[in-house]
Amino acid sequence: SVLPILILWLLAPAVAHALSKPFAPPAHRLAAAEGTQATRYARLHWQFFDTFVTAETQWLAPDNYQGTPEPVVAMRTSPTNIGLQLLATVSAHDLGFITLPDMTTRLERASHTMQQLRRHHGHYFNWYDLTNLSVLEPAYLSTVDSGNLAGHLIALRQACLALAKGTDVDVATRDRLTALAEWAYADALAMDFRVLFDPQRELLSIGMQSHTGALDASFYDLLASEARLASFLAIAKNDVPADHWFRLGRTLTYSSGAPALVSWSGSMFEYLMPLLVMHAPPTTVLAQAHNGVVNRHIADGATRGVPWGISESAYNVRDRHATYQYRSFGVSDLALKRGLGRELVIAPYASALATMVDPVRALQNLTVLESLGALGRYGFRDALDFTRPDPGARFAMVDAYMAHHIGMTMVALTNTLTHNIWQDRFHDDPLVRAAELLLHERVPRQVVLQTPVGADADDGHPEADLERPVVREFTTADTPTPHVAFLGHQPYTVMLTNAGAGYSRYDELAVNRWKADGTRDATGQFCYIKDISAARVWSAAHQPVCAPATSYRASLGTEQVTFERTDGEIHTRTEIAVVPEDSAEVRRVTLTNNSESTREFELTSYGEVVLAPADDDRAHPAFGNLFVETAWHAWCNAITATRRPRSATEASQWFVHLVDWGKDRAGSVSCETDRARFLGRGRSTRDPIALEHDGP
């Protein structure tokens, strides 16, 4: 029968037309409940910008807000923060949180401030002080920051132009939006990426020191990188040749049952941040990379039994100002960087970025994170640290909100709720359309897959930080200003100088008396050493006796401080460490007799107990002493001290000072808790009267 052939002949044009159309994957449609959930998250993240972008911050977003131990706003900002603030402001209007006039005013305020910022070759500097808009030293140009801001300004231009065409927009608002669009485009085009480009390598450098004009020795050489937007725009502006795009590495690894592009750290941020404004056409290498990284992160979370989503973020380590530290984390078999498997820090904003790829599973993961307490007043907190958990808990909540993470989350959720409105706006620009063919790179039909480097068997287990603690060494205590080390973390911290002085703190309480005197540096907790046979006295470190040593070394680390000194043939080594979970510190003093004769030593620890806020003690030290009660417990060689409450609501705090001199004990332990009897009238800690005879 010819009928089937005739039917096929009649259908041939329609079949040919269908086959010739580009493949379009099915669009992700959110259910009503999922849309409500995403909108609720976006509104909370908008609260960050609505709260912290004020006249005090010069109408620019501060870098971060940290909630503990005390609320602190970081009064600095970066180009990435600014760009995401601009997009978040328009997103707030897109989602109905603010009106068009309000949005326009906010953008104008930010624009006015930006026009006051110092620039170099059209680039904004990496950091600005929001108190006076000065450039924070060292004055640095960051390639990825410039790429982010330039891309976001181009998308902002198209948003302003589109909104200005609205039928219900008055003439004044239309003119204001048009002026903003012109300013944004001029700022974006002014950034000259040639100064950041190495023509020999055909790669963009990490950045440049403006004072020297020298490029960093490191370069962005991977397609799976947060600098992809900078590379794309540099080519689109004709600042760098198109060959640069094909210099970017496309190393593939087989992960979770599918090939995936390799990045430096395997973080969601590297793959998906450019997706905030850049299309990833279906069936292309970038689209596959985006799907691959989300699937791999989901699999990694399932393997470890935790919510998924890893990126660069803050984590549960603080500096001496109690500020969270920040660095990159990722999935090890997507990364060139080794050792990532030992870290387990989950960043909620990584899941927010993933809503642009797999919104259903990403929102489910955000629900889990919300149930764990990650959602706060200003959106999702920065991270859950499973490697450094709080005592008695499975993880530590990093109570910080980073402006660029909050901004990325809000823009990603806006894309998810509006069918990628920011990507469409960016690609509406003729400059972008002229170069977007670069993004249509197909997945190679024949590829050589690289087996990922295997992780150690225990890489998935929480361990200490990978970085070796930095140890600063000083061979003298006589420095123009004291050099300090901080041990422990809240609630118990210890500060020590290279001369051996310092303080111990429990939350806001000063454990021992200390005076911030950089010229004398002579207060703290000390150990006196008396050579009875030679009638000589010195300190375990330099202070407080200040006796000249034959040799001296202070090693100031992040986990331990060590003082070593040689006095003739006697070597003294003092090691100090802190156990914050137990609110304790340990000081071990080791004496080595390198002479041929027997020597007898007497060690005396000394410190003045405070157990009160440091400011109160500085104001009235003698009055404060009246409330400290001490007791000696011979059975355990310990002194206990407490401060009598001055009101019924004041809690009692206890202090214990314990001496343990090991198995080979000699002599007995005694104590003296009267400061006047130990030091003597009119004498200082440098020459206690008690050490002039048989000690206490």
Side-chain angles (χ1 to χ4, degrees), residues 30-280:
L30 294 179
E34 293 167 335
T36 301
Q37 177 189 8
T39 303
R40 177 169 62 90
Y41 289 157
R43 185 182 293 275
L44 281 172
H45 287 80
W46 170 243
Q47 290 302 311
F48 178 90
F49 297 102
D50 195 35
T51 302
F52 297 114
V53 177
T54 63
E56 185 179 356
T57 68
Q58 314 280 358
W59 304 110
L60 296 180
D63 183 64
N64 66 80
Y65 167 78
Q66 183 172 306
T68 58
E70 293 181 352
V72 176
V73 176
M75 293 293 287
R76 62 180 181 274
T77 198
S78 69
T80 295
N81 290 345
I82 296 171
L84 288 167
Q85 172 196 339
L86 298 174
L87 298 194
T89 302
V90 180
S91 294
H93 171 260
D94 293 333
L95 300 178
F97 303 157
I98 60 176
T99 64
L100 184 63
D102 187 11
M103 180 207 79
T104 306
T105 299
R106 291 171 187 259
L107 293 176
E108 287 174 333
R109 287 170 172 169
S111 166
H112 176 72
T113 302
M114 291 175 68
Q115 292 174 50
Q116 302 174 53
L117 300 178
R118 184 161 67 92
R119 300 166 70 179
H120 186 71
H121 290 283
H123 295 274
Y124 288 85
F125 286 95
N126 199 34
W127 291 108
Y128 293 92
D129 186 335
L130 289 181
T131 60
N132 56 17
L133 300 183
S134 64
V135 176
L136 291 178
E137 297 295 336
Y140 185 78
L141 304 183
S142 165
T143 296
V144 68
D145 276 288
S146 290
N148 290 338
L149 180 55
H152 297 166
L153 286 171
I154 289 173
L156 175 67
R157 178 210 187 196
Q158 292 300 324
C160 290
L161 292 176
L163 291 170
K165 296 176 182 177
T167 56
D168 57 343
V169 178
D170 60 74
V171 175
T173 302
R174 182 178 295 112
D175 291 343
R176 293 164 66 193
L177 288 169
T178 302
L180 282 168
E182 293 175 352
W183 158 78
Y185 206 51
D187 256 23
L189 295 184
M191 299 183 201
D192 186 356
F193 286 91
R194 290 175 294 182
V195 300
L196 298 167
F197 186 70
D198 185 319
Q200 280 70 44
R201 291 182 173 86
E202 293 189 319
L203 293 173
L204 288 168
S205 171
I206 300 292
M208 183 183 76
Q209 299 287 347
S210 68
H211 294 317
T212 64
L215 293 178
D216 271 349
S218 300
F219 297 83
Y220 288 111
D221 59 356
L222 294 172
L223 185 63
S225 164
E226 69 274 22
R228 187 165 70 246
L229 180 56
S231 292
F232 179 83
L233 286 175
I235 294 169
K237 291 172 71 270
N238 287 322
D239 287 348
V240 307
D243 287 348
H244 161 61
W245 190 258
F246 303 100
R247 285 282 187 175
L248 300 176
R250 290 155 171 79
T251 301
L252 291 169
T253 185
Y254 202 73
S255 178
S256 295
L261 273 179
V262 169
S263 72
W264 171 243
S265 65
S267 70
M268 202 80 81
F269 165 77
E270 292 170 303
Y271 292 85
L272 298 187
M273 185 180 182
L275 193 61
L276 293 173
V277 295
M278 291 175 69
H279 281 313

Side-chain angles (χ1 to χ4, degrees), residues 524-591:
Q525 181 177 332
F526 306 115
C527 182
Y528 297 96
I529 300 169
K530 182 178 181 180
D531 186 343
I532 296 176
S533 55
R536 288 195 304 124
V537 176
W538 63 90
S539 316
H542 180 67
Q543 290 287 359
V545 177
C546 303
T550 307
S551 67
Y552 183 85
R553 180 187 299 269
S555 302
L556 307 184
T558 57
E559 296 179 348
Q560 177 177 297
V561 169
T562 303
F563 298 100
E564 295 182 84
R565 59 179 292 157
T566 302
D567 296 86
E569 295 175 310
I570 308 302
H571 180 76
T572 308
R573 178 182 174 89
T574 305
E575 299 161 278
I576 304 173
V578 173
V579 188
E581 292 78 9
D582 295 328
S583 300
E585 63 183 281
V586 179
R587 301 183 179 226
R588 181 169 65 181
V589 181
T590 304
L591 293 177

